[in-house]
Amino acid sequence: MYMRIYNKNIMASKNLKLTSVKIVDHLFDDFKVSSIRYKFNLQKLANRAVHLYLTDEEFRKKLHNHTDLTISGSL
């Protein structure tokens, strides 16, 4: 039984891409608190945001036009 679950996790991880991003400190700190409150993690947020970005033109426009962040050019 343990071996079967272990293999399932390995197979699932083959479809995932490991990446790293830099996130503004105060935003990440606020997200950590919120993620505990709403039981929502960064991986879920990233996957869903990328999916919406690719499939929802209004969401994509909203992200492109969001200008409240001014820490660096990548924001």
Side-chain angles (χ1 to χ4, degrees):
M1 184 74 165
Y2 178 76
M3 190 71 155
R4 188 173 186 193
I5 293 170
Y6 180 75
N7 287 338
K8 182 178 178 182
N9 288 338
I10 289 175
M11 289 174 55
S13 69
K14 289 181 182 178
N15 296 324
L16 300 175
K17 178 70 174 176
L18 180 61
T19 184
S20 63
V21 294
K22 293 181 181 179
I23 299 175
V24 177
D25 284 339
H26 74 89
L27 292 177
F28 186 67
D29 291 342
D30 292 348
F31 177 77
K32 285 191 299 186
V33 172
S34 183
S35 69
I36 292 168
R37 182 179 306 129
Y38 296 107
K39 296 181 173 86
F40 197 76
N41 62 45
L42 189 57
Q43 184 172 352
K44 286 180 184 178
L45 174 63
N47 285 323
R48 292 173 189 190
V50 168
H51 175 76
L52 287 171
Y53 183 85
L54 295 172
T55 60
D56 184 335
E57 187 173 342
E58 290 301 315
F59 182 80
R60 184 173 38 254
K61 285 179 183 177
K62 189 173 185 176
L63 289 180
H64 283 234
N65 294 323
H66 188 72
T67 58
D68 290 344
L69 303 173
T70 58
I71 303 288
S72 75
S74 65
L75 299 176

